[in-house]
Amino acid sequence: MSVLRLAIPSPLRRLFDYLPPRGMGAAEVQGLSPGQRLSVPFGSRRVTGYLVEVCLESELPDSALKHAEAVLDPQALVSPALLQLCDWAARYYHHPPGEVFSAAFPRPLREGKPHQANGTPGWRLSGRGMGLPTGALGRSPRQAQALAMLQGAEAVANTEFAARAISQAILRNLHDKALVEKCTLKLPQLEPASRPGLALNAEQASAVNALLENREGFSCHLLEGVTGSGKTEIYLQLIADCLARGRQALVLIPEIGLTPQTLDRFSGRFAANIVVLHSGLGEAERYRAWEAARDGSAHIVIGTRSAVFTPLRAPGLIVVDEEHDSSYKQQDGFRYSARDVAVKRAQLEGCPVLLGSATPSLESLHNAMTGRYQLHRLRQRAGASALPVIRAIDVRRQELQAGLSPLLLSAIGDKLAAGQQVLLFLNRRGYAPTLQCHDCGWVAECRACDARLTMHRRPARLRCHHCGATQAIPRQCPKCHGDNLLTAGLGTEQTEDFLRRHFCQWPIYRVDSDSMQARHAMRELVAQVNREQPGILLGTQMLTKGHHFPAVGLVAIIDADAMLFSADFRGEERMAQLLTQVAGRAGRAEVPGQVLLQTHYPDHPALQAMLALDYSDQARAMLASRQAAGMPPAGQLLILRTDCSDSARGEKFLQTLRDLTRDRLPTGTQLIGPLPAPMQRRAGKFRSQLILLAPDRRAAQAAAGLLVAQAEAGGARRDLKWSIDIDPLDLY
Ligand code: ADP
Ligand code: ZN
Ligand code: ZN
């Protein structure tokens, strides 16, 4: 007897056993291979499962097993390496395997729709049709003509039938006689070609050579290159080599906003089939791109986080650009790090993986220091441009207008007058982060979260940036009915208003998630900014990522203090990365760059380190202090979180978990909590957490296994949700 063990999308962290579909012969069952999709009954629903293995027996009695309904794919659509990757990820992140497998398939396939190859729809002979003599079906000339066409080719496209006035109805008639069947004609394969690359400088050449020497088999490389040092040029040259060997390249980028620019640069270099995968695609587009990656017709696959699970027919290189970027970590549901999964994938596929950044994560630096990754450094900017000069402006006792000091205002004016562009960084959207009553002190707060509401002007609403709730802006104080309501603090809308008045003859571009909602907004903005000069760009985090604005001669950080006092253990790393990346937007072309940083704490050590503009030294110092504290990457972290409408129950659940596992945890591990999350109430739910710090990966994995098993043993609890986060980015 055979049992099919399947991964099924469900919140349960286990596989499910089924009997083969009724009527399926033993030989056929033995011929099934992992990764094939099956449709199976699950509870009262019918769902799509993924075959993991065919076993001889189940732990359950036969009578308790249901039959699968149907095998959906004649062969597995994804490779064994990708299946192994999913299996690894499900174990490592302690996530339900069915949900992990789902990540490797586009929605129509997850929903059990038949697989469709890319190409042109058409027909071919089948069954009886193959044996028919030429000139058959003489009594029906149209059918005979269609048949003759099919006898002369492997398959014929619908467009060709149409050109000879043969309707689909004729073909359906032939199909009813079991002579022909529908098929998809493959698109003609494009031979990829590359334009010659730039002449590399010595540092670039040594990085490229090191990777070329290791192009067969797995190796992991960290490319630490200052902004503008020519990392992308290195990717391009390695990809050219990869294509020349008939292999595919997978390039991960952090942001959807970056795809147009990356794509333009790639398509300028390669005459090749480049497909893009990101969350902004329509379903049909996404499916075609996925299929092209799978069938090998796509030579280069560029995508955001989830693209790391795209099937590839012949992977030859994986690149993770801006590898430090926190958007590679999924923050809910399946909480994986696409960067870490990419490294594992390269290992399973047997190809090199290249992680690139001007500001590498401490994790990757640690791996490079300990010899697990090969480190390649680019210390100089490529081409003519020089690294920008960076200076702090002490704003203490200065008169600020919309957050801008007189010194900064005059610097902006000078640059504009000189025909250059200015980039202002303010990491807070909306008009003001606080609305307050000047008479009694009342503050507008979210009803569902422990958070203040942000005042927005366009449209005029109070908005919660945590749960999305909105309210009308009150005219009077709801508490004392005074009408002395004032805003406190500064958001991008407010600074934008001021800039429009103060620099009215120049264009002002605001770039934040509110102003960039439209699908192609970012692409259009980048094009417009690079066409119209001079002008001022004002924006949040969104502006700092990889975009290329060659005419920017001044970058200013309006509120450097906002980042100085983060409670999180990664606060300093984040700040150093962010500031270095923002500063890196300056002086990318002929224009020499200047960076100004407004602060009330010009002597703060983190700022001082920044002013020296050596992220790499700063990072190595931070690494030493993390090591001393046993924090990642020296130690391993995981967090169990609960989400509950009752504040005490979540904590009690975690306390019980702690009590029941404490004696069995590996030595050297340390439990912290349960504690309320730093923002305890969010969207009406109370959040608590239990943190585990382990000396190494193995101990962390063992502890995670224990905690998850114990948490699951309790079964589902109404109204209490728990989750586990392996290698969390933040402690809340
Ligand atoms: P990064 O990806 O590190 O930010 P890029 O690859 O975008 O750097 O390179 C920055 C600029 O320098 C680009 O305009 C690029 O064309 C140019 N560049 C890169 N490598 C070279 C080189 N070897 N010679 C001349 N210019 C180069
Ligand atoms: Zn009041
Ligand atoms: Zn809220």
Side-chain angles (χ1 to χ4, degrees):
M1 191 195 83
S2 301
V3 172
L4 309 182
R5 191 151 292 162
L6 305 184
I8 285 181
S10 104
L12 299 174
R13 287 172 179 76
R14 42 169 284 220
L15 300 171
F16 295 85
D17 290 350
Y18 282 86
L19 297 171
R22 282 179 210 283
M24 192 181 221
E28 241 181 309
V29 173
Q30 285 314 311
L32 292 174
S33 57
Q36 277 178 282
R37 293 177 305 142
L38 288 100
S39 102
V40 296
F42 190 71
S44 58
R45 296 175 302 147
R46 176 158 12 93
V47 302
T48 305
Y50 308 90
L51 183 64
V52 172
E53 57 178 334
V54 180
C55 330
L56 289 178
E57 55 190 331
S58 173
E59 286 169 13
L60 296 173
D62 264 19
S63 55
L65 295 179
K66 289 187 190 157
H67 283 276
E69 271 169 25
V71 178
L72 297 175
D73 305 312
Q75 283 128 30
L77 295 171
V78 300
S79 68
L82 186 53
L83 295 172
Q84 275 177 298
L85 184 74
C86 292
D87 180 58
W88 172 84
R91 289 170 201 274
Y92 183 75
Y93 292 106
H94 296 268
H95 197 70
E99 290 187 9
V100 177
F101 277 76
S102 295
F105 292 85
R107 186 205 295 270
L109 297 182
R110 293 203 296 266
E111 288 174 350
K113 304 236 166 67
H115 170 250
Q116 258 178 350
N118 281 345
T120 328
W123 296 84
R124 66 177 167 218
L125 295 179
S126 73
R128 235 161 38 83
M130 309 235 214
L132 236 49
T134 41
L137 299 176
R139 276 184 300 144
S140 164
R142 279 280 181 232
Q143 290 186 15
Q145 194 189 348
L147 204 63
M149 283 169 75
L150 289 166
Q151 283 170 332
E154 233 169 74
V156 176
N158 287 343
T159 47
E160 276 187 58
F161 287 121
R164 310 231 187 136
I166 293 172
S167 70
Q168 290 292 304
I170 308 269
L171 289 150
R172 279 195 295 273
N173 285 339
L174 291 174
H175 181 251
D176 292 341
K177 295 181 184 158
L179 300 174
V180 303
E181 64 188 8
K182 277 192 176 172
C183 69
T184 305
L185 280 78
K186 277 228 161 113
L187 299 169
Q189 277 280 1
L190 179 71
E191 240 345 279
S194 319
R195 250 182 255 287
L198 301 170
L200 299 179
N201 63 37
E203 286 181 326
Q204 285 176 311
S206 101
V208 167
N209 289 334
L211 268 118
L212 291 182
E213 278 163 26
N214 286 291
R215 65 187 172 189
E216 295 299 338
F218 169 67
S219 56
C220 184
H221 304 261
L222 176 62
L223 180 61
E224 180 184 19
V226 297
T227 52
S229 59
K231 295 183 291 294
T232 311
E233 182 62 32
I234 291 180
Y235 307 155
L236 293 173
Q237 300 207 6
L238 291 170
I239 292 168
D241 173 72
C242 179
L243 302 190
R245 289 182 291 129
R247 312 279 287 272
Q248 298 167 285
L250 171 66
V251 181
L252 299 181
I253 54 173
E255 288 275 313
I256 166 171
L258 277 180
T259 45
Q261 271 183 317
T262 312
L263 194 61
D264 290 348
R265 227 168 136 186
F266 277 63
S267 47
R269 178 68 59 92
F270 302 109
N273 187 9
I274 305 175
V275 301
V276 182
L277 279 159
H278 56 72
S279 56
L281 290 184
E283 195 166 286
E285 254 178 316
R286 163 173 280 274
Y287 185 92
R288 271 198 301 278
W290 180 90
E291 176 61 19
R294 193 193 78 84
D295 74 14
S297 58
H299 305 109
I300 304 174
V301 179
I302 302 177
T304 47
R305 181 175 63 220
S306 61
V308 74
F309 290 105
T310 309
L312 296 166
R313 199 180 57 81
L317 174 70
I318 302 177
V319 173
V320 184
D321 191 24
E322 310 288 358
E323 66 86 28
H324 66 280
D325 200 289
S326 54
S327 62
Y328 283 125
K329 179 81 200 276
Q330 180 142 309
Q331 301 279 22
D332 52 14
F334 176 23
R335 294 171 171 79
Y336 65 98
S337 152
R339 178 200 53 217
D340 297 346
V341 173
V343 173
K344 185 68 191 179
R345 177 151 192 198
Q347 192 191 354
L348 292 168
E349 304 274 12
C351 73
V353 54
L354 175 59
L355 313 179
S357 175
T359 54
S361 63
L362 297 189
E363 275 72 13
S364 295
L365 269 181
H366 179 69
N367 282 324
M369 307 273 134
T370 52
R372 294 182 53 202
Y373 298 174
Q374 293 183 41
L375 178 65
H376 312 287
R377 290 182 69 174
L378 310 176
R379 293 158 212 258
Q380 239 100 70
R381 280 198 163 175
S385 67
L387 281 169
V389 181
I390 186 162
R391 260 184 32 189
I393 299 180
D394 181 355
V395 295
R396 285 176 294 185
R397 290 179 296 277
Q398 300 284 311
E399 189 208 337
L400 301 179
Q401 299 184 71
L404 310 172
S405 63
L407 207 67
L408 178 54
L409 283 172
S410 78
I412 297 172
D414 290 350
K415 292 289 172 190
L416 292 172
Q420 297 180 12
Q421 289 176 337
V422 173
L423 189 155
L424 300 176
F425 176 72
L426 178 64
N427 210 13
R428 210 178 298 119
R429 61 197 172 87
Y431 186 83
T434 301
L435 179 70
Q436 192 172 26
C437 172
H438 200 46
D439 296 338
C440 75
W442 169 88
V443 167
E445 285 175 342
C446 180
R447 291 188 193 106
C449 307
D450 293 334
R452 293 182 173 186
L453 292 169
T454 300
M455 163 119 151
H456 286 247
R457 277 273 175 87
R458 291 180 298 276
R461 298 288 285 177
L462 288 173
R463 276 163 52 181
C464 175
H465 286 184
H466 303 282
C467 71
T470 76
Q471 294 175 21
I473 299 171
R475 288 168 188 276
Q476 291 186 330
C477 169
K479 200 166 145 206
C480 75
H481 305 291
D483 45 18
N484 220 348
L485 292 179
L486 301 178
T487 61
L490 197 66
T492 47
E493 283 185 7
Q494 193 173 152
T495 303
E496 178 192 12
D497 288 353
F498 171 79
L499 290 170
R500 284 197 193 282
R501 288 195 305 273
H502 198 86
F503 295 104
C504 52
Q505 64 272 51
W506 284 287
I508 313 286
Y509 311 93
R510 196 183 97 218
V511 182
D512 54 34
S513 52
D514 299 321
S515 69
M516 292 287 120
Q517 294 218 327
R519 185 145 176 228
H520 297 299
M522 197 69 198
R523 172 175 222 150
E524 280 154 22
L525 176 108
V526 171
Q528 193 187 357
V529 170
N530 287 335
R531 213 165 40 232
E532 287 170 18
Q533 301 160 358
I536 302 177
L537 277 150
L538 163 71
T540 57
Q541 194 107 262
M542 260 190 146
L543 256 187
T544 66
K545 311 216 166 164
H547 300 291
H548 199 52
F549 299 111
V552 168
L554 167 66
V555 167
I557 290 144
I558 296 177
D559 184 10
D561 300 345
M563 288 170 278
L564 274 179
F565 300 100
S566 161
D568 198 81
F569 77 100
R570 278 185 220 270
E572 191 184 350
E573 177 186 357
R574 287 278 169 64
M575 171 175 167
Q577 287 165 344
L578 192 59
L579 294 187
T580 307
Q581 295 285 351
V582 185
R585 299 307 111 207
R588 303 266 297 186
E590 313 72 51
V591 193
Q594 183 187 5
V595 179
L596 294 171
L597 212 145
Q598 296 196 124
T599 177
H600 290 88
Y601 308 91
D603 301 324
H604 194 288
L607 260 185
Q608 287 293 327
M610 248 316 282
L611 294 182
L613 198 73
D614 197 328
Y615 175 83
S616 83
D617 289 347
Q618 207 186 338
R620 282 156 179 81
M622 288 187 277
L623 199 51
S625 64
R626 292 265 188 94
Q627 234 137 10
M631 292 296 275
Q636 300 283 316
L637 272 180
L638 60 91
I639 302 187
L640 274 123
R641 297 193 179 89
T642 54
D643 212 63
C644 186
S645 56
D646 178 313
S647 69
R649 271 184 40 219
E651 238 170 271
K652 184 150 172 276
F653 174 85
L654 292 175
Q655 184 61 48
T656 311
L657 208 57
R658 182 188 172 122
D659 294 342
L660 290 174
T661 50
R662 184 162 26 203
D663 302 335
R664 290 178 287 150
L665 289 174
T667 47
T669 55
Q670 195 185 334
L671 279 171
I672 304 156
L675 295 163
M679 195 177 101
Q680 188 184 10
R681 199 168 51 104
R682 180 173 179 156
K685 302 280 189 194
F686 291 86
R687 304 173 316 143
S688 311
Q689 54 192 34
L690 180 63
I691 300 173
L692 183 123
L693 183 59
D696 54 49
R697 221 166 231 214
R698 180 179 302 202
Q701 278 298 314
L706 270 175
L707 288 163
V708 166
Q710 193 63 55
E712 284 198 319
R717 282 172 190 73
R718 204 162 46 85
D719 184 39
L720 186 151
K721 281 221 264 312
W722 64 270
S723 61
I724 184 164
D725 191 351
I726 307 286
D727 305 331
L729 280 192
D730 326 271
L731 292 189
Y732 48 86

